[in-house]
Amino acid sequence: MIDFRYHIVSIVAIFFALGAGVVLGAGPLKGTASDVVQAQANKDRDTVEQQREQLLQAKALDKYRDDFFAKVTAGLTDGKLTNKRIALVMMPGAAGDMADSIQESIERAGGQVTTRVALDSKLFDPGQRQLVEPLVNDLVTSDISFPADSNTYQRAGMILARGVAAREEAKPFDADSSKIVSGLASAKLISLKNPKDRASLVVVVAAKPPAPAPDNASYNDAVDFTEGLDAGSAGVVVAGMPESAQNGGLLKALRGDSDATKALSSVDVANIPSGQMTVVFALVEQAGGKAGQYGGVDAKNGVAPSADMVKGNN
């Protein structure tokens, strides 16, 4: 199938040729205008054909990469997350297909995804802070102790963590969990299906940055929120695509926060199979009390956790 970009380039070439014909037909080269236009059209057609071949070759290489990876690494994550329960928390605008692929990787590794929480953009709207702060205070339970230096969004993350997660494995979704989830859902800050059990680990799925890219500081509340999730669970991995690790993305902001990187792990290639496998390894590492920043865009700790960690946690 001819790529859509091929059609776009072809259309542009046609309009260019028509425009050249009009200009030359009215000027001193009127007698040879058709020859000039034809020569330009031939040149443009050759360029388009080269671009089409390059696109087809890139697609073929991408398919080879993914097929090779799937066959060579088959079974490498088997059992890594056995008896582990994981909650997926989706940032506003996060891609559902990427979350689906991450969930499949977790399940292939033996883990169980207990619930998927969709965060509403209103949660991080500066104009809604006056709603978030009192709600957090209303939903606090007797077993939550906020650090004295914690801020509103760190506390909000701890509140959600108490609703869907715990630091220990297989804690039930109890009355306090139901109170928290109902309160946040009623305020239209989250949506989810109530789980049977709370998770111990959390994967936060980042969204592709909007255009134009926002200032990295605009993610400060979101980073604080993920720190709160980590404080109320056994570990958090923030997963995104490469754009999310560039200026204007959540992972870029997270990796610029030294306190956050000490506790949270991140993977910036979670949109491809190898990155989804890295999310699994990062979850294993988090369960062991360690954190790392992985991927292909300014990833401090390389492409994935070390081979020793991967082999030693079954």
Side-chain angles (χ1 to χ4, degrees), residues 56-68:
L56 291 174
Q57 184 179 33
K59 287 182 177 180
L61 289 174
D62 285 345
K63 185 178 185 304
Y64 168 81
R65 177 200 63 197
D66 291 343
D67 290 349
F68 180 88

Side-chain angles (χ1 to χ4, degrees), residues 66-87:
D66 291 343
D67 290 349
F68 180 88
F69 176 84
K71 290 181 179 180
V72 171
T73 63
L76 192 57
T77 63
D78 288 0
K80 294 296 181 182
L81 294 176
T82 298
N83 298 323
K84 295 294 183 183
R85 292 167 176 79
I86 297 96

Side-chain angles (χ1 to χ4, degrees), residues 140-307:
V140 68
T141 59
S142 60
D143 56 353
I144 295 178
S145 179
F146 292 136
D149 60 349
S150 61
N151 60 41
T152 295
Y153 281 92
Q154 289 169 334
R155 296 181 178 192
M158 291 179 68
I159 289 291
L160 178 59
R162 176 58 182 84
V164 301
R167 297 192 68 82
E168 302 82 17
E169 195 63 53
K171 287 286 187 178
F173 186 81
D174 56 16
D176 283 339
S177 298
S178 181
K179 169 190 170 184
I180 288 170
V181 167
S182 296
L184 293 172
S186 296
K188 294 182 169 43
L189 298 179
I190 67 169
S191 61
L192 77 161
K193 181 178 180 181
N194 290 352
K196 177 183 177 182
D197 296 317
R198 288 143 66 192
S200 62
L201 298 166
V202 178
V203 174
V204 175
V205 183
K208 183 177 181 179
D215 186 274
N216 293 332
S218 66
Y219 291 102
N220 287 348
D221 290 342
V223 172
D224 289 341
F225 186 84
T226 56
E227 287 183 289
L229 285 173
D230 181 77
S233 68
V236 171
V237 175
V238 185
M241 55 191 66
E243 293 90 338
S244 65
Q246 298 169 352
N247 281 327
L250 173 60
L251 268 64
K252 178 70 172 181
L254 185 158
R255 291 172 175 178
D257 185 322
S258 59
D259 289 333
T261 55
K262 290 175 184 176
L264 305 168
S265 294
S266 66
V267 178
D268 63 39
V269 284
N271 57 318
I272 59 176
S274 56
Q276 292 143 21
M277 181 176 283
T278 302
V279 171
V280 170
F281 294 141
L283 284 168
V284 174
E285 188 177 54
Q286 277 284 318
K290 296 181 180 180
Q293 317 309 314
Y294 306 109
V297 183
D298 296 330
K300 179 181 177 182
N301 301 108
V303 296
S306 68

Side-chain angles (χ1 to χ4, degrees), residues 38-118:
Q38 185 60 51
Q40 184 62 51
N42 291 339
K43 182 178 179 182
D44 292 338
R45 187 178 300 109
D46 290 342
T47 300
V48 170
E49 184 62 25
Q50 290 174 5
Q51 291 173 340
R52 186 180 75 86
E53 290 298 328
Q54 289 171 358
L55 288 170
L56 291 174
Q57 184 179 33
K59 287 182 177 180
L61 289 174
D62 285 345
K63 185 178 185 304
Y64 168 81
R65 177 200 63 197
D66 291 343
D67 290 349
F68 180 88
F69 176 84
K71 290 181 179 180
V72 171
T73 63
L76 192 57
T77 63
D78 288 0
K80 294 296 181 182
L81 294 176
T82 298
N83 298 323
K84 295 294 183 183
R85 292 167 176 79
I86 297 96
L88 295 186
V89 175
M90 300 180 67
M91 283 289 170
D97 56 350
M98 185 168 73
D100 291 342
S101 296
I102 292 171
Q103 179 168 344
E104 290 171 4
S105 294
I106 288 170
E107 291 171 347
R108 281 196 298 270
Q112 175 189 344
V113 174
T114 57
T115 190
R116 283 167 67 152
V117 184

